[in-house]
Amino acid sequence: IEPIELSQDLPLPLYLQLAKHLRNQITSGKLAEYDALPGERELADRFGVSRVTVRKALSSLTAEGLLNKRQGSGWFINSSTHVEQRLSALTSFSEDMASRGLQSGTVWLDRSISRATPEEALLLNLRPGDQVARLNRLRLADKTPLAIELSVVPTKYLPDPFGFEGSLYQHLRNLGHPPHRALQRLSAVRLIPDLARQLELPEGAPALYIERRTFLEDGAPLEFVASHYRGDAYDFVVELNLT
Ligand code: 16G
């Protein structure tokens, strides 16, 4: 395992820094399948952190399916190393966090109803003047800000933006409008000051800008989302098959 400097001064908690480092080592093949990891105490010494931090990092990698713990003999690298957010599965933020064993949280930055802009009307297949609900949310994992998402949903599917607190997708399912398919575009950006502050990062820090259009089963557009994901805390993974 390569050494790395972990720092208390970063906004990302130590255990997530360590988990990210180990994840890179595993997914880049520096640690081989079925290998045993050094013991918790040795890892703690090596990275200058407490055993609690080591254990939290290892547990979160276990939740991702990268490691498994064998009673009495320590931590092992799993044979199937698929992790992080799969780009090919339509999942919600809440589900993504739950599957990693992290507690998802939301800080509401704004929610309101207004007319769709001409661009939104085009993207959401609306007539000029149709109303949309706007949800601007800071999304957290175990209290660490991971992303800012601005979702725009026609009011015919989401009449009351104050009608839920946690998962938008769960709420839409409850209302009888389950998200069925999505198209997503990712690009690399630098955070403008406002977004950087909300994500607790320095101005200009790298982020992934993601636009998503989600559709109902009948093909009608349900949601348009513009989001910024922290570049230092999120990896998107895609499986490629020979066609
Ligand atoms: C994901 C989606 C976002 C969706 C949200 C719903 C990406 C890039 N975005 O974050 O479009 O609105 O999930 O999450 O994956 P929720 O059900 O937890 O509110």
Side-chain angles (χ1 to χ4, degrees), residues 85 90-96 104 106 137 139 147 149 151 164 166-171 173 184 210-212 214 223-225 227 229 234 236:
Q85 183 177 348
L90 177 57
T91 51
S92 70
F93 186 88
S94 308
E95 289 159 349
D96 292 339
S104 67
T106 299
R137 298 182 289 172
R139 312 302 306 266
E149 298 188 320
S151 309
F164 74 104
S167 166
L168 170 64
Y169 280 12
Q170 190 53 52
H171 186 59
R173 279 183 214 121
Q184 205 163 276
I210 305 178
E211 284 184 358
R212 178 187 279 203
T214 312
E223 174 198 45
F224 173 71
V225 191
S227 47
Y229 278 73
Y234 229 92
F236 288 87

PDB file of all heavy atoms in Angstrom, residues 85 90-96 104 106 137 139 147 149 151 164 166-171 173 184 210-212 214 223-225 227 229 234 236, ligand 1:
ATOM      1  N   GLN A  85     -20.538   4.809  -7.720  1.00  0.00           N
ATOM      2  CA  GLN A  85     -21.843   4.855  -8.364  1.00  0.00           C
ATOM      3  C   GLN A  85     -21.762   4.318  -9.775  1.00  0.00           C
ATOM      4  O   GLN A  85     -21.014   4.823 -10.604  1.00  0.00           O
ATOM      5  CB  GLN A  85     -22.395   6.271  -8.401  1.00  0.00           C
ATOM      6  CG  GLN A  85     -23.785   6.257  -9.012  1.00  0.00           C
ATOM      7  CD  GLN A  85     -24.436   7.604  -9.013  1.00  0.00           C
ATOM      8  OE1 GLN A  85     -23.975   8.531  -8.384  1.00  0.00           O
ATOM      9  NE2 GLN A  85     -25.523   7.725  -9.740  1.00  0.00           N
ATOM     10  N   LEU A  90     -30.115   3.388 -12.710  1.00  0.00           N
ATOM     11  CA  LEU A  90     -30.871   4.579 -12.308  1.00  0.00           C
ATOM     12  C   LEU A  90     -31.193   4.480 -10.825  1.00  0.00           C
ATOM     13  O   LEU A  90     -32.081   3.736 -10.420  1.00  0.00           O
ATOM     14  CB  LEU A  90     -32.157   4.690 -13.124  1.00  0.00           C
ATOM     15  CG  LEU A  90     -33.080   5.850 -12.748  1.00  0.00           C
ATOM     16  CD1 LEU A  90     -32.363   7.192 -12.840  1.00  0.00           C
ATOM     17  CD2 LEU A  90     -34.309   5.858 -13.633  1.00  0.00           C
ATOM     18  N   THR A  91     -30.411   5.185 -10.033  1.00  0.00           N
ATOM     19  CA  THR A  91     -30.613   5.147  -8.586  1.00  0.00           C
ATOM     20  C   THR A  91     -30.715   6.573  -8.066  1.00  0.00           C
ATOM     21  O   THR A  91     -30.341   7.516  -8.753  1.00  0.00           O
ATOM     22  CB  THR A  91     -29.434   4.458  -7.870  1.00  0.00           C
ATOM     23  OG1 THR A  91     -28.221   5.068  -8.335  1.00  0.00           O
ATOM     24  CG2 THR A  91     -29.403   2.977  -8.166  1.00  0.00           C
ATOM     25  N   SER A  92     -31.227   6.714  -6.864  1.00  0.00           N
ATOM     26  CA  SER A  92     -31.330   8.048  -6.260  1.00  0.00           C
ATOM     27  C   SER A  92     -30.137   8.268  -5.336  1.00  0.00           C
ATOM     28  O   SER A  92     -29.454   7.323  -4.945  1.00  0.00           O
ATOM     29  CB  SER A  92     -32.619   8.155  -5.457  1.00  0.00           C
ATOM     30  OG  SER A  92     -32.524   7.352  -4.306  1.00  0.00           O
ATOM     31  N   PHE A  93     -29.926   9.503  -4.997  1.00  0.00           N
ATOM     32  CA  PHE A  93     -28.847   9.824  -4.067  1.00  0.00           C
ATOM     33  C   PHE A  93     -29.027   9.049  -2.759  1.00  0.00           C
ATOM     34  O   PHE A  93     -28.073   8.462  -2.238  1.00  0.00           O
ATOM     35  CB  PHE A  93     -28.849  11.334  -3.797  1.00  0.00           C
ATOM     36  CG  PHE A  93     -27.686  11.785  -2.972  1.00  0.00           C
ATOM     37  CD1 PHE A  93     -26.497  12.131  -3.572  1.00  0.00           C
ATOM     38  CD2 PHE A  93     -27.776  11.847  -1.585  1.00  0.00           C
ATOM     39  CE1 PHE A  93     -25.404  12.536  -2.806  1.00  0.00           C
ATOM     40  CE2 PHE A  93     -26.689  12.247  -0.817  1.00  0.00           C
ATOM     41  CZ  PHE A  93     -25.506  12.592  -1.433  1.00  0.00           C
ATOM     42  N   SER A  94     -30.259   9.030  -2.253  1.00  0.00           N
ATOM     43  CA  SER A  94     -30.518   8.327  -0.985  1.00  0.00           C
ATOM     44  C   SER A  94     -30.137   6.848  -1.090  1.00  0.00           C
ATOM     45  O   SER A  94     -29.524   6.287  -0.179  1.00  0.00           O
ATOM     46  CB  SER A  94     -31.991   8.431  -0.592  1.00  0.00           C
ATOM     47  OG  SER A  94     -32.399   9.775  -0.601  1.00  0.00           O
ATOM     48  N   GLU A  95     -30.490   6.227  -2.217  1.00  0.00           N
ATOM     49  CA  GLU A  95     -30.163   4.810  -2.402  1.00  0.00           C
ATOM     50  C   GLU A  95     -28.652   4.602  -2.535  1.00  0.00           C
ATOM     51  O   GLU A  95     -28.097   3.653  -1.976  1.00  0.00           O
ATOM     52  CB  GLU A  95     -30.872   4.260  -3.647  1.00  0.00           C
ATOM     53  CG  GLU A  95     -32.363   4.127  -3.470  1.00  0.00           C
ATOM     54  CD  GLU A  95     -33.139   4.073  -4.786  1.00  0.00           C
ATOM     55  OE1 GLU A  95     -32.546   4.345  -5.858  1.00  0.00           O
ATOM     56  OE2 GLU A  95     -34.326   3.765  -4.738  1.00  0.00           O
ATOM     57  N   ASP A  96     -27.994   5.509  -3.285  1.00  0.00           N
ATOM     58  CA  ASP A  96     -26.536   5.386  -3.445  1.00  0.00           C
ATOM     59  C   ASP A  96     -25.832   5.412  -2.099  1.00  0.00           C
ATOM     60  O   ASP A  96     -24.914   4.636  -1.837  1.00  0.00           O
ATOM     61  CB  ASP A  96     -25.981   6.541  -4.283  1.00  0.00           C
ATOM     62  CG  ASP A  96     -26.430   6.463  -5.718  1.00  0.00           C
ATOM     63  OD1 ASP A  96     -26.807   5.362  -6.158  1.00  0.00           O
ATOM     64  OD2 ASP A  96     -26.408   7.504  -6.398  1.00  0.00           O
ATOM     65  N   SER A 104     -27.557   9.433   4.410  1.00  0.00           N
ATOM     66  CA  SER A 104     -27.743  10.563   3.499  1.00  0.00           C
ATOM     67  C   SER A 104     -28.486  11.685   4.203  1.00  0.00           C
ATOM     68  O   SER A 104     -29.316  11.453   5.074  1.00  0.00           O
ATOM     69  CB  SER A 104     -28.489  10.137   2.232  1.00  0.00           C
ATOM     70  OG  SER A 104     -29.808   9.782   2.549  1.00  0.00           O
ATOM     71  N   THR A 106     -29.988  16.001   3.686  1.00  0.00           N
ATOM     72  CA  THR A 106     -30.332  17.068   2.749  1.00  0.00           C
ATOM     73  C   THR A 106     -30.410  18.389   3.481  1.00  0.00           C
ATOM     74  O   THR A 106     -31.015  18.473   4.547  1.00  0.00           O
ATOM     75  CB  THR A 106     -31.716  16.795   2.113  1.00  0.00           C
ATOM     76  OG1 THR A 106     -31.660  15.568   1.402  1.00  0.00           O
ATOM     77  CG2 THR A 106     -32.129  17.912   1.173  1.00  0.00           C
ATOM     78  N   ARG A 137     -30.953  21.567  -3.508  1.00  0.00           N
ATOM     79  CA  ARG A 137     -30.575  20.842  -2.292  1.00  0.00           C
ATOM     80  C   ARG A 137     -29.076  20.595  -2.211  1.00  0.00           C
ATOM     81  O   ARG A 137     -28.441  20.273  -3.204  1.00  0.00           O
ATOM     82  CB  ARG A 137     -31.267  19.471  -2.261  1.00  0.00           C
ATOM     83  CG  ARG A 137     -32.765  19.548  -2.228  1.00  0.00           C
ATOM     84  CD  ARG A 137     -33.400  18.178  -2.155  1.00  0.00           C
ATOM     85  NE  ARG A 137     -33.267  17.417  -3.393  1.00  0.00           N
ATOM     86  CZ  ARG A 137     -33.597  16.142  -3.525  1.00  0.00           C
ATOM     87  NH1 ARG A 137     -34.031  15.467  -2.476  1.00  0.00           N
ATOM     88  NH2 ARG A 137     -33.469  15.538  -4.672  1.00  0.00           N
ATOM     89  N   ARG A 139     -26.654  17.935  -0.798  1.00  0.00           N
ATOM     90  CA  ARG A 139     -26.782  16.532  -0.407  1.00  0.00           C
ATOM     91  C   ARG A 139     -25.561  16.112   0.401  1.00  0.00           C
ATOM     92  O   ARG A 139     -24.418  16.366  -0.004  1.00  0.00           O
ATOM     93  CB  ARG A 139     -26.919  15.631  -1.644  1.00  0.00           C
ATOM     94  CG  ARG A 139     -27.935  16.088  -2.679  1.00  0.00           C
ATOM     95  CD  ARG A 139     -29.349  16.229  -2.139  1.00  0.00           C
ATOM     96  NE  ARG A 139     -29.904  15.094  -1.472  1.00  0.00           N
ATOM     97  CZ  ARG A 139     -30.662  14.157  -2.043  1.00  0.00           C
ATOM     98  NH1 ARG A 139     -30.928  14.210  -3.333  1.00  0.00           N
ATOM     99  NH2 ARG A 139     -31.169  13.173  -1.340  1.00  0.00           N
ATOM    100  N   ALA A 147     -22.743  17.016  -2.821  1.00  0.00           N
ATOM    101  CA  ALA A 147     -23.253  17.527  -4.086  1.00  0.00           C
ATOM    102  C   ALA A 147     -24.304  18.596  -3.859  1.00  0.00           C
ATOM    103  O   ALA A 147     -24.929  18.656  -2.801  1.00  0.00           O
ATOM    104  CB  ALA A 147     -23.882  16.382  -4.888  1.00  0.00           C
ATOM    105  N   GLU A 149     -27.673  19.855  -5.859  1.00  0.00           N
ATOM    106  CA  GLU A 149     -28.549  19.446  -6.960  1.00  0.00           C
ATOM    107  C   GLU A 149     -29.714  20.414  -7.101  1.00  0.00           C
ATOM    108  O   GLU A 149     -30.427  20.673  -6.137  1.00  0.00           O
ATOM    109  CB  GLU A 149     -29.142  18.063  -6.666  1.00  0.00           C
ATOM    110  CG  GLU A 149     -28.106  16.991  -6.552  1.00  0.00           C
ATOM    111  CD  GLU A 149     -28.730  15.605  -6.444  1.00  0.00           C
ATOM    112  OE1 GLU A 149     -29.750  15.466  -5.741  1.00  0.00           O
ATOM    113  OE2 GLU A 149     -28.194  14.694  -7.062  1.00  0.00           O
ATOM    114  N   SER A 151     -33.072  20.412  -8.940  1.00  0.00           N
ATOM    115  CA  SER A 151     -34.016  19.600  -9.712  1.00  0.00           C
ATOM    116  C   SER A 151     -35.214  20.449 -10.110  1.00  0.00           C
ATOM    117  O   SER A 151     -35.728  21.219  -9.302  1.00  0.00           O
ATOM    118  CB  SER A 151     -34.553  18.431  -8.883  1.00  0.00           C
ATOM    119  OG  SER A 151     -33.508  17.710  -8.290  1.00  0.00           O
ATOM    120  N   PHE A 164     -42.459  16.794   0.888  1.00  0.00           N
ATOM    121  CA  PHE A 164     -41.577  15.705   1.320  1.00  0.00           C
ATOM    122  C   PHE A 164     -40.290  16.291   1.877  1.00  0.00           C
ATOM    123  O   PHE A 164     -40.003  17.463   1.688  1.00  0.00           O
ATOM    124  CB  PHE A 164     -41.263  14.764   0.151  1.00  0.00           C
ATOM    125  CG  PHE A 164     -40.294  15.344  -0.830  1.00  0.00           C
ATOM    126  CD1 PHE A 164     -38.970  14.920  -0.852  1.00  0.00           C
ATOM    127  CD2 PHE A 164     -40.684  16.329  -1.716  1.00  0.00           C
ATOM    128  CE1 PHE A 164     -38.054  15.476  -1.732  1.00  0.00           C
ATOM    129  CE2 PHE A 164     -39.769  16.884  -2.605  1.00  0.00           C
ATOM    130  CZ  PHE A 164     -38.463  16.457  -2.614  1.00  0.00           C
ATOM    131  N   GLY A 166     -37.163  13.813   2.534  1.00  0.00           N
ATOM    132  CA  GLY A 166     -35.995  12.977   2.229  1.00  0.00           C
ATOM    133  C   GLY A 166     -35.764  12.756   0.754  1.00  0.00           C
ATOM    134  O   GLY A 166     -35.190  13.592   0.064  1.00  0.00           O
ATOM    135  N   SER A 167     -36.239  11.614   0.257  1.00  0.00           N
ATOM    136  CA  SER A 167     -35.922  11.221  -1.113  1.00  0.00           C
ATOM    137  C   SER A 167     -36.981  11.700  -2.109  1.00  0.00           C
ATOM    138  O   SER A 167     -38.165  11.366  -2.001  1.00  0.00           O
ATOM    139  CB  SER A 167     -35.810   9.694  -1.188  1.00  0.00           C
ATOM    140  OG  SER A 167     -35.818   9.267  -2.532  1.00  0.00           O
ATOM    141  N   LEU A 168     -36.527  12.458  -3.086  1.00  0.00           N
ATOM    142  CA  LEU A 168     -37.432  12.914  -4.149  1.00  0.00           C
ATOM    143  C   LEU A 168     -37.971  11.722  -4.943  1.00  0.00           C
ATOM    144  O   LEU A 168     -39.164  11.659  -5.252  1.00  0.00           O
ATOM    145  CB  LEU A 168     -36.689  13.871  -5.088  1.00  0.00           C
ATOM    146  CG  LEU A 168     -37.424  14.254  -6.372  1.00  0.00           C
ATOM    147  CD1 LEU A 168     -38.706  15.039  -6.060  1.00  0.00           C
ATOM    148  CD2 LEU A 168     -36.519  15.069  -7.296  1.00  0.00           C
ATOM    149  N   TYR A 169     -37.088  10.777  -5.253  1.00  0.00           N
ATOM    150  CA  TYR A 169     -37.527   9.649  -6.075  1.00  0.00           C
ATOM    151  C   TYR A 169     -38.565   8.801  -5.333  1.00  0.00           C
ATOM    152  O   TYR A 169     -39.532   8.344  -5.909  1.00  0.00           O
ATOM    153  CB  TYR A 169     -36.326   8.796  -6.506  1.00  0.00           C
ATOM    154  CG  TYR A 169     -35.579   9.383  -7.695  1.00  0.00           C
ATOM    155  CD1 TYR A 169     -35.839  10.680  -8.132  1.00  0.00           C
ATOM    156  CD2 TYR A 169     -34.629   8.645  -8.382  1.00  0.00           C
ATOM    157  CE1 TYR A 169     -35.163  11.225  -9.205  1.00  0.00           C
ATOM    158  CE2 TYR A 169     -33.945   9.174  -9.467  1.00  0.00           C
ATOM    159  CZ  TYR A 169     -34.206  10.470  -9.872  1.00  0.00           C
ATOM    160  OH  TYR A 169     -33.537  11.003 -10.949  1.00  0.00           O
ATOM    161  N   GLN A 170     -38.339   8.607  -4.032  1.00  0.00           N
ATOM    162  CA  GLN A 170     -39.325   7.852  -3.251  1.00  0.00           C
ATOM    163  C   GLN A 170     -40.665   8.588  -3.260  1.00  0.00           C
ATOM    164  O   GLN A 170     -41.717   7.987  -3.434  1.00  0.00           O
ATOM    165  CB  GLN A 170     -38.813   7.653  -1.819  1.00  0.00           C
ATOM    166  CG  GLN A 170     -39.647   6.684  -1.005  1.00  0.00           C
ATOM    167  CD  GLN A 170     -39.831   5.340  -1.723  1.00  0.00           C
ATOM    168  OE1 GLN A 170     -38.856   4.723  -2.160  1.00  0.00           O
ATOM    169  NE2 GLN A 170     -41.073   4.904  -1.881  1.00  0.00           N
ATOM    170  N   HIS A 171     -40.597   9.900  -3.112  1.00  0.00           N
ATOM    171  CA  HIS A 171     -41.819  10.701  -3.108  1.00  0.00           C
ATOM    172  C   HIS A 171     -42.543  10.597  -4.461  1.00  0.00           C
ATOM    173  O   HIS A 171     -43.762  10.418  -4.519  1.00  0.00           O
ATOM    174  CB  HIS A 171     -41.478  12.156  -2.788  1.00  0.00           C
ATOM    175  CG  HIS A 171     -42.668  13.042  -2.620  1.00  0.00           C
ATOM    176  ND1 HIS A 171     -43.648  12.807  -1.675  1.00  0.00           N
ATOM    177  CD2 HIS A 171     -43.062  14.160  -3.294  1.00  0.00           C
ATOM    178  CE1 HIS A 171     -44.578  13.752  -1.771  1.00  0.00           C
ATOM    179  NE2 HIS A 171     -44.250  14.574  -2.748  1.00  0.00           N
ATOM    180  N   ARG A 173     -42.332   8.176  -6.563  1.00  0.00           N
ATOM    181  CA  ARG A 173     -42.914   6.824  -6.637  1.00  0.00           C
ATOM    182  C   ARG A 173     -44.233   6.777  -5.873  1.00  0.00           C
ATOM    183  O   ARG A 173     -45.219   6.245  -6.354  1.00  0.00           O
ATOM    184  CB  ARG A 173     -41.948   5.788  -6.041  1.00  0.00           C
ATOM    185  CG  ARG A 173     -40.858   5.381  -7.006  1.00  0.00           C
ATOM    186  CD  ARG A 173     -39.967   4.294  -6.366  1.00  0.00           C
ATOM    187  NE  ARG A 173     -38.615   4.486  -6.841  1.00  0.00           N
ATOM    188  CZ  ARG A 173     -37.559   4.722  -6.077  1.00  0.00           C
ATOM    189  NH1 ARG A 173     -37.671   4.736  -4.763  1.00  0.00           N
ATOM    190  NH2 ARG A 173     -36.382   4.915  -6.618  1.00  0.00           N
ATOM    191  N   GLN A 184     -27.870  11.233 -18.982  1.00  0.00           N
ATOM    192  CA  GLN A 184     -27.000  12.011 -18.122  1.00  0.00           C
ATOM    193  C   GLN A 184     -25.771  12.463 -18.896  1.00  0.00           C
ATOM    194  O   GLN A 184     -25.229  11.719 -19.689  1.00  0.00           O
ATOM    195  CB  GLN A 184     -26.591  11.119 -16.953  1.00  0.00           C
ATOM    196  CG  GLN A 184     -26.212  11.855 -15.716  1.00  0.00           C
ATOM    197  CD  GLN A 184     -26.227  10.948 -14.503  1.00  0.00           C
ATOM    198  OE1 GLN A 184     -27.250  10.723 -13.889  1.00  0.00           O
ATOM    199  NE2 GLN A 184     -25.082  10.423 -14.152  1.00  0.00           N
ATOM    200  N   ILE A 210     -23.102  17.580 -13.573  1.00  0.00           N
ATOM    201  CA  ILE A 210     -23.932  16.527 -14.168  1.00  0.00           C
ATOM    202  C   ILE A 210     -25.313  17.067 -14.480  1.00  0.00           C
ATOM    203  O   ILE A 210     -25.974  17.646 -13.611  1.00  0.00           O
ATOM    204  CB  ILE A 210     -24.078  15.333 -13.201  1.00  0.00           C
ATOM    205  CG1 ILE A 210     -22.698  14.842 -12.796  1.00  0.00           C
ATOM    206  CG2 ILE A 210     -24.868  14.214 -13.859  1.00  0.00           C
ATOM    207  CD1 ILE A 210     -22.754  13.715 -11.807  1.00  0.00           C
ATOM    208  N   GLU A 211     -25.712  16.888 -15.700  1.00  0.00           N
ATOM    209  CA  GLU A 211     -27.086  17.194 -16.072  1.00  0.00           C
ATOM    210  C   GLU A 211     -27.814  15.884 -16.303  1.00  0.00           C
ATOM    211  O   GLU A 211     -27.301  15.007 -16.987  1.00  0.00           O
ATOM    212  CB  GLU A 211     -27.127  18.024 -17.356  1.00  0.00           C
ATOM    213  CG  GLU A 211     -26.758  19.465 -17.135  1.00  0.00           C
ATOM    214  CD  GLU A 211     -26.893  20.292 -18.405  1.00  0.00           C
ATOM    215  OE1 GLU A 211     -27.242  19.729 -19.477  1.00  0.00           O
ATOM    216  OE2 GLU A 211     -26.630  21.493 -18.324  1.00  0.00           O
ATOM    217  N   ARG A 212     -28.980  15.779 -15.718  1.00  0.00           N
ATOM    218  CA  ARG A 212     -29.738  14.545 -15.893  1.00  0.00           C
ATOM    219  C   ARG A 212     -31.164  14.889 -16.316  1.00  0.00           C
ATOM    220  O   ARG A 212     -31.772  15.810 -15.773  1.00  0.00           O
ATOM    221  CB  ARG A 212     -29.779  13.762 -14.569  1.00  0.00           C
ATOM    222  CG  ARG A 212     -30.606  12.484 -14.658  1.00  0.00           C
ATOM    223  CD  ARG A 212     -30.782  11.811 -13.303  1.00  0.00           C
ATOM    224  NE  ARG A 212     -29.626  11.011 -12.917  1.00  0.00           N
ATOM    225  CZ  ARG A 212     -29.693  10.001 -12.041  1.00  0.00           C
ATOM    226  NH1 ARG A 212     -30.833   9.671 -11.474  1.00  0.00           N
ATOM    227  NH2 ARG A 212     -28.610   9.340 -11.719  1.00  0.00           N
ATOM    228  N   THR A 214     -34.687  12.840 -16.494  1.00  0.00           N
ATOM    229  CA  THR A 214     -35.312  11.579 -16.087  1.00  0.00           C
ATOM    230  C   THR A 214     -36.690  11.489 -16.742  1.00  0.00           C
ATOM    231  O   THR A 214     -37.385  12.500 -16.861  1.00  0.00           O
ATOM    232  CB  THR A 214     -35.464  11.556 -14.556  1.00  0.00           C
ATOM    233  OG1 THR A 214     -34.229  11.956 -13.980  1.00  0.00           O
ATOM    234  CG2 THR A 214     -35.794  10.175 -14.060  1.00  0.00           C
ATOM    235  N   GLU A 223     -38.075  15.019 -14.896  1.00  0.00           N
ATOM    236  CA  GLU A 223     -37.167  15.811 -14.060  1.00  0.00           C
ATOM    237  C   GLU A 223     -35.988  16.291 -14.905  1.00  0.00           C
ATOM    238  O   GLU A 223     -35.485  15.546 -15.741  1.00  0.00           O
ATOM    239  CB  GLU A 223     -36.645  14.894 -12.942  1.00  0.00           C
ATOM    240  CG  GLU A 223     -35.594  15.488 -12.048  1.00  0.00           C
ATOM    241  CD  GLU A 223     -34.802  14.434 -11.238  1.00  0.00           C
ATOM    242  OE1 GLU A 223     -34.400  13.403 -11.829  1.00  0.00           O
ATOM    243  OE2 GLU A 223     -34.596  14.644 -10.061  1.00  0.00           O
ATOM    244  N   PHE A 224     -35.580  17.525 -14.650  1.00  0.00           N
ATOM    245  CA  PHE A 224     -34.302  17.982 -15.176  1.00  0.00           C
ATOM    246  C   PHE A 224     -33.453  18.393 -13.984  1.00  0.00           C
ATOM    247  O   PHE A 224     -33.924  19.129 -13.116  1.00  0.00           O
ATOM    248  CB  PHE A 224     -34.485  19.168 -16.130  1.00  0.00           C
ATOM    249  CG  PHE A 224     -33.180  19.762 -16.550  1.00  0.00           C
ATOM    250  CD1 PHE A 224     -32.346  19.066 -17.409  1.00  0.00           C
ATOM    251  CD2 PHE A 224     -32.768  20.998 -16.067  1.00  0.00           C
ATOM    252  CE1 PHE A 224     -31.108  19.588 -17.777  1.00  0.00           C
ATOM    253  CE2 PHE A 224     -31.531  21.528 -16.436  1.00  0.00           C
ATOM    254  CZ  PHE A 224     -30.715  20.825 -17.299  1.00  0.00           C
ATOM    255  N   VAL A 225     -32.243  17.870 -13.899  1.00  0.00           N
ATOM    256  CA  VAL A 225     -31.386  18.155 -12.751  1.00  0.00           C
ATOM    257  C   VAL A 225     -30.034  18.670 -13.212  1.00  0.00           C
ATOM    258  O   VAL A 225     -29.426  18.100 -14.123  1.00  0.00           O
ATOM    259  CB  VAL A 225     -31.102  16.881 -11.919  1.00  0.00           C
ATOM    260  CG1 VAL A 225     -30.455  17.242 -10.596  1.00  0.00           C
ATOM    261  CG2 VAL A 225     -32.362  16.118 -11.669  1.00  0.00           C
ATOM    262  N   SER A 227     -26.468  19.292 -11.430  1.00  0.00           N
ATOM    263  CA  SER A 227     -25.822  19.103 -10.133  1.00  0.00           C
ATOM    264  C   SER A 227     -24.311  19.216 -10.217  1.00  0.00           C
ATOM    265  O   SER A 227     -23.712  18.995 -11.262  1.00  0.00           O
ATOM    266  CB  SER A 227     -26.236  17.764  -9.521  1.00  0.00           C
ATOM    267  OG  SER A 227     -26.141  16.749 -10.468  1.00  0.00           O
ATOM    268  N   TYR A 229     -21.043  17.716  -8.268  1.00  0.00           N
ATOM    269  CA  TYR A 229     -20.516  16.731  -7.322  1.00  0.00           C
ATOM    270  C   TYR A 229     -19.061  17.053  -7.033  1.00  0.00           C
ATOM    271  O   TYR A 229     -18.294  17.357  -7.943  1.00  0.00           O
ATOM    272  CB  TYR A 229     -20.607  15.319  -7.921  1.00  0.00           C
ATOM    273  CG  TYR A 229     -21.961  14.697  -7.782  1.00  0.00           C
ATOM    274  CD1 TYR A 229     -23.026  15.128  -8.557  1.00  0.00           C
ATOM    275  CD2 TYR A 229     -22.180  13.688  -6.862  1.00  0.00           C
ATOM    276  CE1 TYR A 229     -24.284  14.562  -8.423  1.00  0.00           C
ATOM    277  CE2 TYR A 229     -23.438  13.106  -6.725  1.00  0.00           C
ATOM    278  CZ  TYR A 229     -24.476  13.555  -7.501  1.00  0.00           C
ATOM    279  OH  TYR A 229     -25.706  12.988  -7.359  1.00  0.00           O
ATOM    280  N   TYR A 234     -16.131  11.747  -5.155  1.00  0.00           N
ATOM    281  CA  TYR A 234     -17.088  10.968  -5.917  1.00  0.00           C
ATOM    282  C   TYR A 234     -16.435  10.363  -7.138  1.00  0.00           C
ATOM    283  O   TYR A 234     -15.762  11.052  -7.888  1.00  0.00           O
ATOM    284  CB  TYR A 234     -18.233  11.876  -6.369  1.00  0.00           C
ATOM    285  CG  TYR A 234     -19.564  11.273  -6.072  1.00  0.00           C
ATOM    286  CD1 TYR A 234     -20.207  11.551  -4.883  1.00  0.00           C
ATOM    287  CD2 TYR A 234     -20.160  10.398  -6.967  1.00  0.00           C
ATOM    288  CE1 TYR A 234     -21.431  10.984  -4.589  1.00  0.00           C
ATOM    289  CE2 TYR A 234     -21.389   9.827  -6.676  1.00  0.00           C
ATOM    290  CZ  TYR A 234     -22.010  10.123  -5.490  1.00  0.00           C
ATOM    291  OH  TYR A 234     -23.206   9.555  -5.199  1.00  0.00           O
ATOM    292  N   PHE A 236     -17.498   8.034 -10.520  1.00  0.00           N
ATOM    293  CA  PHE A 236     -18.568   7.379 -11.267  1.00  0.00           C
ATOM    294  C   PHE A 236     -17.945   6.254 -12.074  1.00  0.00           C
ATOM    295  O   PHE A 236     -16.907   6.436 -12.696  1.00  0.00           O
ATOM    296  CB  PHE A 236     -19.273   8.377 -12.187  1.00  0.00           C
ATOM    297  CG  PHE A 236     -20.122   9.347 -11.433  1.00  0.00           C
ATOM    298  CD1 PHE A 236     -19.568  10.514 -10.948  1.00  0.00           C
ATOM    299  CD2 PHE A 236     -21.440   9.079 -11.164  1.00  0.00           C
ATOM    300  CE1 PHE A 236     -20.332  11.416 -10.222  1.00  0.00           C
ATOM    301  CE2 PHE A 236     -22.220   9.965 -10.436  1.00  0.00           C
ATOM    302  CZ  PHE A 236     -21.666  11.137  -9.969  1.00  0.00           C
TER     303      PHE A 236
HETATM  304  C1  16G B   1     -29.443  11.514  -7.871  1.00  0.00           C
HETATM  305  C2  16G B   1     -29.692  12.101  -9.242  1.00  0.00           C
HETATM  306  C3  16G B   1     -30.684  13.222  -9.221  1.00  0.00           C
HETATM  307  C4  16G B   1     -31.933  12.848  -8.455  1.00  0.00           C
HETATM  308  C5  16G B   1     -31.567  12.361  -7.070  1.00  0.00           C
HETATM  309  C6  16G B   1     -32.775  11.903  -6.298  1.00  0.00           C
HETATM  310  C7  16G B   1     -27.390  12.014 -10.184  1.00  0.00           C
HETATM  311  C8  16G B   1     -26.325  12.725 -10.890  1.00  0.00           C
HETATM  312  N1  16G B   1     -28.492  12.656  -9.859  1.00  0.00           N
HETATM  313  O1  16G B   1     -28.671  12.354  -7.105  1.00  0.00           O
HETATM  314  O2  16G B   1     -31.058  13.490 -10.565  1.00  0.00           O
HETATM  315  O3  16G B   1     -32.787  13.958  -8.339  1.00  0.00           O
HETATM  316  O4  16G B   1     -30.679  11.267  -7.188  1.00  0.00           O
HETATM  317  O5  16G B   1     -32.340  11.547  -5.013  1.00  0.00           O
HETATM  318  O6  16G B   1     -27.240  10.869  -9.927  1.00  0.00           O
HETATM  319  P1  16G B   1     -33.302  11.409  -3.776  1.00  0.00           P
HETATM  320  O7  16G B   1     -34.374  10.457  -4.181  1.00  0.00           O
HETATM  321  O8  16G B   1     -32.442  10.931  -2.686  1.00  0.00           O
HETATM  322  O9  16G B   1     -33.882  12.776  -3.524  1.00  0.00           O
END
